[in-house]
């Protein structure tokens, strides 16, 4: 069974926000927190990270487009997205 894509937002230990895409969100969170190899450099020095928000995406392209749009938002608007 193919896994779907997700767009997600994390809060790092220093309070910064990180947005990304993943095919296996649970595995990616473990990478971000250093439990598995392969995490991004940005979060490696800002652990632990906490998943704030995620949404499914139909495919990789859609996920990356939504990620890019979220990254352009102000911090305040990112928090509004998280709040729903």
């Amino acid at each position: 069974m193919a896994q779907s894509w997700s767009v997600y937002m994390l809060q790092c230990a220093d309070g910064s926000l990180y947005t990304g895409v993943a095919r296996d969100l649970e595995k990616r969170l473990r990478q971000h927190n250093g439990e598995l190899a392969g995490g991004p450099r940005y979060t490696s020095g800002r652990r632990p990270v906490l998943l704030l928000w995620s949404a499914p995406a139909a495919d990789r392209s859609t996920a990356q487009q939504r990620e890019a749009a979220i990254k352009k938002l102000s911090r305040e608007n990112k928090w509004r997205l998280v709040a729903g």
Side-chain angles (χ1 to χ4, degrees):
M1 182 176 155
Q3 295 174 320
S4 63
W5 286 89
S6 297
V7 184
Y8 62 91
M9 194 177 331
L10 307 174
Q11 182 175 21
C12 300
D14 66 358
S16 63
L17 299 175
Y18 178 93
T19 304
V21 299
R23 190 155 195 150
D24 182 342
L25 186 54
E26 183 178 323
K27 178 181 176 184
R28 190 63 175 150
L29 289 173
R30 293 181 68 203
Q31 289 174 324
H32 278 292
N33 278 311
E35 297 171 28
L36 296 174
R41 192 176 298 171
Y42 184 83
T43 57
S44 67
R46 293 170 172 86
R47 294 177 183 144
V49 300
L50 173 67
L51 178 65
L52 295 177
W53 173 89
S54 68
D59 53 40
R60 183 178 181 170
S61 177
T62 303
Q64 289 178 319
Q65 289 172 11
R66 183 124 193 235
E67 174 192 24
I70 291 169
K71 286 182 174 185
K72 291 179 183 178
L73 295 175
S74 68
R75 183 174 174 83
E76 180 180 343
N77 285 334
K78 289 177 184 177
W79 279 109
R80 285 185 181 148
L81 177 64
V82 169

